[in-house]
Structure formats: C-alpha cells, structure tokens
Amino acid sequence: MNAFNPITTMQKLEAVGMERRQAETLADEFHHATTELVTKDELTKALDAQANTLTLRIGGMVAAMLALTVTLSKIFS
C-alpha cells in the first residue's frame, strides 16, 4: 500500500491551476480519509476475533441452558 503524501498532492493540484487554499483543503481531506482505511488482512483478523468471542458466548449460553434443564428435570421428576 502506498503512503499518501498530502504535500505532493497539493503541489500537483496547484500546478494544474487550483488555488493554494483549495488545494490545501482538498489534500488535507484526502489525507484524513486515507488514514481511516484498513487492509483486508486487518479486517479479517478483527472479524475472526469477533467470531471467536461470539462462539465462546454462545457455547457458554448453551452450557448454562443445559445445566438449567438438568437441574429442573431433577427437581420436577
């Protein structure tokens, strides 16, 4: 992934006739927008971590329900 260089972008925008203030603002906005991006690998890792957490929670709920069922069946039999 290439790093975004706002100064180079601003200079290129000025070179094609954009006013300096507008070029600075646009380059700054592009810079902020690109810092919020994630890679596919980062996203995959984050989603895998969430899936593992959900699997553990669901497993815990199933175990609790099974224990409750067993306890209730002993009480009412």
Side-chain angles (χ1 to χ4, degrees), residues 50-65:
Q50 286 296 321
N52 290 338
T53 301
L54 288 174
T55 300
L56 290 173
R57 285 184 181 179
I58 291 171
M61 285 188 271
V62 169
M65 289 174 56

Side-chain angles (χ1 to χ4, degrees), residues 8-18 23:
T8 303
T9 302
M10 182 187 70
Q11 290 170 342
K12 287 179 181 179
L13 291 171
E14 284 182 298
V16 296
M18 186 174 280

Side-chain angles (χ1 to χ4, degrees), residues 55-76:
T55 300
L56 290 173
R57 285 184 181 179
I58 291 171
M61 285 188 271
V62 169
M65 289 174 56
L66 181 60
L68 179 64
T69 303
V70 169
T71 302
L72 290 175
S73 68
K74 287 182 181 182
I75 291 173
F76 293 109

Side-chain angles (χ1 to χ4, degrees), residues 18-67:
M18 186 174 280
E19 293 180 21
R20 181 174 185 85
R21 197 167 141 206
Q22 290 175 324
E24 285 177 355
T25 302
L26 190 56
D28 186 52
E29 289 302 317
F30 280 140
H31 177 66
H32 290 302
T34 57
T35 58
E36 299 295 321
L37 298 176
V38 297
T39 64
K40 187 176 181 179
D41 188 47
E42 291 170 333
L43 182 60
T44 301
K45 287 178 184 177
L47 289 174
D48 287 343
Q50 286 296 321
N52 290 338
T53 301
L54 288 174
T55 300
L56 290 173
R57 285 184 181 179
I58 291 171
M61 285 188 271
V62 169
M65 289 174 56
L66 181 60

